[in-house]
Amino acid sequence: MISFIHVSKKYEKDWKALQDVHFRLDRGEFVFLTGPSGAGKTTILKLIYMDERPDIGEVLISFNKDLAYRSAETSLSKIQLLRRRLGIVFQDFKLLPDRNVFENVAFALRVAGYSSKRIKLRVYEVLTLTGISHKAKNLPHQLSGGEQQRVSIARAMANEPYIILADEPTGNLDPQTSHEIVKIFQNINASGTAVLMATHDYSLINSLPYRRLQLNRGALVNRDFI
Amino acid sequence: MKNQLGYLLLEAFRGFRSDKFLSVTSVITIGICTSVFAGLLLAFTLVWSLGGGGASDSVIRVFPGAKYESQSSLDGLESKLHRLQGVDSIVFVSKDDALEEFKRDFGDEMIRSLDWNPLPHSFLIYPAAGFRSSAQNKLLLDRVQRLEEVEEASANSLYLAWLDKWRVPVAGGSSLLMLLVGGALSLIIHNAVKLNLYSRRILVENMKYCGAGHLFILAPFLLEGVLLGVLGSFIGVLSLAFLLGLSRLVSASIPGLVPFWACAFSLMGATAGIAAIASARTVRAFLRGHAV
């Protein structure tokens, strides 16, 4: 579904964010992207949602035969369509502080032009999936970190994405909450959605049986299998 | 689509409400700017409609010679005057009418001692629109004076020349100042929208990562800018009404010369247009700068 073909990315003259990164991620997979801070995990995610383009190599994203995106050729309008098929989860949640949980999740569907009736149904569906439906009317500041991350995951799930890209989703959470969040990702994955989770929480990674892509200074150093 | 439009409108009002102090300050500043703009627009419109003379400023008074005071001669002269190029309409003022006018203007003490009416018949020529400038008016006056039945013809030439002299500088100056005020207005709206964009950048990021198109991201901020502009222009319209009321104290004919509603709608339209352009440019620059 997602292929990185010998991708390199440089931000500044001497700082190579990624060096000859080559891997594939299949439909329905759960993969950990690990490595220390600055290793290039976020850059890989940015290349997938095409916030960045590779300097060398190519990123191919293919959801089905008719729906493929190549980093070298994808126009801005196509990037917008691509992002509607991805779910992105951030470490800092990026929730809108002036609107409640329901509105935060509904936001993603409004962007995609869903009807009000469909938005209502889908929002409660994903809030139930992430176990936060009872706080639908709360504002983000009335929620704990774990609850905010659940809302953020619900928002990412709203558009029924092919893949969830999670950038250090447990970085601000305690170990217990982190496990609960990962459990949600496992449930999402069990329903067929692929998950690519960037993290440097090795205790979490080691407790789970998923493939991992280990990055160090922009290079893949340990791949369970490509 | 209808759903999205309603949502974008709500988003625009949410932006307006999110920082009330900034919004109110912006509306007041825009209001001050549009008030200055209204003053300049008023000056421009007034000078332009007076310039070249209003119909009453450019009137030519014609006195027939003493031997042409018979009715048939007067009729002949009137038809000759009608045939002259640049004449819009002619009003005949009889000796009796002139006497009434004299009494009305100066009282009847001066005339009471006379047992006859010394005032002559006359014609008032109202020039057509193209013959109200100083030069054209003089041309028409020359043509009238060349008629043998005419003993004397006079026009308000000095006043027309004065109007002509000041018409272009005042209209040009006020146009230039209107451009400057328009530029200032654009900067104020740019600044308000930019501050709002930065304070709500998380909203823009969310839109971006959810796959919103540029128009979807731009629309609420553009609408918000237009809303600020329109609300500010209401203050400008109130100022315009006040200035027109004030000018009525100077001359009763001024309010009639300046069409209030046309000026008010022009003011609101111009402000909304400037606001839309300024907001769109600000958001587009922001989106470019943040690779959205």
Side-chain angles (χ1 to χ4, degrees):
Chain A
M1 185 167 64
I2 294 176
S3 302
F4 271 58
I5 304 166
H6 300 290
V7 170
S8 295
K9 175 77 188 170
K10 220 193 285 185
Y11 282 116
E12 285 167 26
K13 266 188 180 176
D14 301 324
W15 182 32
K16 289 176 180 170
L18 290 180
Q19 296 179 66
D20 196 30
V21 171
H22 190 83
F23 71 88
R24 214 181 88 185
L25 196 144
D26 287 324
R27 184 182 294 272
E29 253 197 303
F30 194 126
V31 175
F32 283 120
L33 192 57
T34 73
S37 296
K41 302 186 292 292
T42 302
T43 302
I44 284 189
L45 298 181
K46 282 185 169 181
L47 285 165
I48 295 174
Y49 58 79
M50 296 199 184
D51 211 16
E52 300 283 356
R53 309 267 184 153
D55 295 327
I56 301 170
E58 194 165 34
V59 179
L60 297 177
I61 302 168
S62 169
F63 297 124
N64 58 46
K65 274 181 190 173
D66 305 319
L67 209 58
Y69 303 89
R70 299 169 74 98
S71 58
E73 293 168 0
T74 307
S75 64
L76 188 66
S77 57
K78 279 199 169 177
I79 289 175
Q80 288 154 5
L81 291 176
L82 164 73
R83 286 178 185 161
R84 290 183 198 181
R85 295 168 197 282
L86 305 172
I88 308 171
V89 178
F90 296 96
Q91 181 178 357
D92 59 355
F93 323 126
K94 291 199 193 298
L95 297 179
L96 301 170
D98 59 342
R99 49 202 91 178
N100 65 28
V101 167
F102 180 95
E103 280 299 321
N104 263 283
V105 180
F107 183 81
L109 298 166
R110 291 225 160 84
V111 168
Y114 282 62
S115 68
S116 298
K117 194 178 168 187
R118 205 164 154 209
I119 287 173
K120 199 173 177 183
L121 280 173
R122 182 63 187 156
V123 170
Y124 278 107
E125 205 174 283
V126 287
L127 287 178
T128 307
L129 185 79
T130 51
I132 195 78
S133 57
H134 60 293
K135 296 209 169 171
K137 288 183 179 165
N138 286 43
L139 287 167
H141 70 84
Q142 295 169 318
L143 306 175
S144 67
E147 287 170 332
Q148 289 191 47
Q149 196 56 289
R150 281 168 191 264
V151 179
S152 167
I153 295 168
R155 184 182 57 195
M157 280 300 293
N159 268 330
E160 299 178 67
Y162 287 93
I163 182 170
I164 295 277
L165 305 172
D167 193 1
E168 306 273 6
T170 58
N172 286 344
L173 307 175
D174 60 75
Q176 171 65 30
T177 314
S178 297
H179 275 97
E180 287 170 15
I181 293 297
V182 171
K183 187 75 193 155
I184 294 171
F185 282 127
Q186 285 182 292
N187 290 339
I188 290 168
N189 181 240
S191 68
T193 306
V195 176
L196 179 59
M197 179 170 157
T199 180
H200 54 243
D201 184 347
Y202 288 98
S203 65
L204 197 72
I205 297 163
N206 292 332
S207 68
L208 295 163
Y210 300 122
R211 181 158 76 101
R212 66 195 77 169
L213 299 167
Q214 173 101 34
L215 282 163
N216 192 21
R217 292 185 178 186
L220 272 180
V221 290
N222 175 27
R223 292 165 283 195
D224 287 349
F225 45 91
I226 301 172
Chain B
M1 187 67 191
K2 191 179 152 194
N3 193 27
Q4 275 191 322
L5 194 67
Y7 173 72
L8 292 173
L9 275 170
L10 269 178
E11 203 64 71
F13 279 100
R14 201 193 292 266
F16 188 80
R17 287 198 317 260
S18 69
D19 192 339
K20 288 193 188 77
F21 179 74
L22 175 70
S23 303
V24 171
T25 315
S26 302
V27 167
I28 292 172
T29 323
I30 292 166
I32 292 168
C33 259
T34 47
S35 298
V36 175
F37 199 89
L40 292 167
L41 189 68
L42 188 68
F44 177 85
T45 317
L46 204 60
V47 166
W48 207 253
S49 45
L50 277 178
S56 58
D57 298 317
S58 52
V59 73
I60 295 172
R61 191 179 274 263
V62 180
F63 298 98
K67 56 181 179 177
Y68 298 104
E69 286 195 344
S70 68
Q71 192 57 46
S72 60
S73 301
L74 289 172
D75 290 345
L77 176 58
E78 186 169 355
S79 62
K80 273 188 181 177
L81 289 172
H82 264 300
R83 282 199 294 273
L84 289 176
Q85 193 194 356
V87 174
D88 183 49
S89 59
I90 295 170
V91 173
F92 175 65
V93 181
S94 67
K95 287 165 76 85
D96 295 341
D97 292 340
L99 186 65
E100 285 306 310
E101 196 180 315
F102 186 90
K103 283 179 181 173
R104 201 169 47 243
D105 292 343
F106 305 105
D108 61 352
E109 281 178 22
M110 289 167 74
I111 215 97
R112 204 183 297 157
S113 55
L114 299 172
D115 55 356
W116 58 286
N117 182 357
L119 298 173
H121 295 298
S122 63
F123 292 96
L124 295 177
I125 299 178
Y126 289 88
F131 283 79
R132 289 176 192 168
S133 70
S134 170
Q136 293 295 322
N137 198 256
K138 194 167 182 304
L139 193 72
L140 183 59
L141 184 65
D142 284 346
R143 282 179 193 156
V144 172
Q145 280 170 335
R146 277 203 292 272
L147 297 172
E148 62 165 321
E149 296 93 333
V150 173
E151 184 178 289
E152 191 187 331
S154 64
N156 209 349
S157 305
L158 280 176
Y159 177 61
L160 284 179
W162 181 85
L163 275 182
D164 266 4
K165 186 183 163 194
W166 286 103
R167 183 188 193 199
V168 173
V170 173
S174 53
S175 302
L176 190 69
L177 285 172
M178 274 196 280
L179 275 178
L180 285 175
V181 173
L185 204 60
S186 159
L187 284 176
I188 292 165
I189 292 165
H190 162 84
N191 198 41
V193 172
K194 191 172 179 179
L195 285 174
N196 207 331
L197 263 169
Y198 275 94
S199 70
R200 299 171 77 205
R201 61 192 301 170
I202 193 166
L203 172 75
V204 178
E205 282 180 11
N206 264 288
M207 286 176 165
K208 169 186 164 181
Y209 294 127
C210 289
H214 270 192
L215 192 63
F216 190 92
I217 300 176
L218 191 142
F221 295 99
L222 190 140
L223 289 172
E224 192 189 325
V226 172
L227 185 68
L228 287 174
V230 169
L231 287 177
S233 71
F234 280 133
I235 299 176
V237 170
L238 288 178
S239 304
L240 182 70
F242 172 75
L243 288 172
L244 265 176
L246 208 63
S247 61
R248 186 172 292 158
L249 296 175
V250 180
S251 164
S253 66
I254 287 177
L257 285 173
V258 182
F260 172 73
W261 287 111
C263 280
F265 282 121
S266 306
L267 189 66
M268 287 173 71
T271 313
I274 290 170
I277 293 167
S279 323
R281 285 174 66 94
T282 311
V283 182
R284 289 182 71 160
F286 180 86
L287 295 180
R288 266 200 306 274
H290 291 77
V292 179

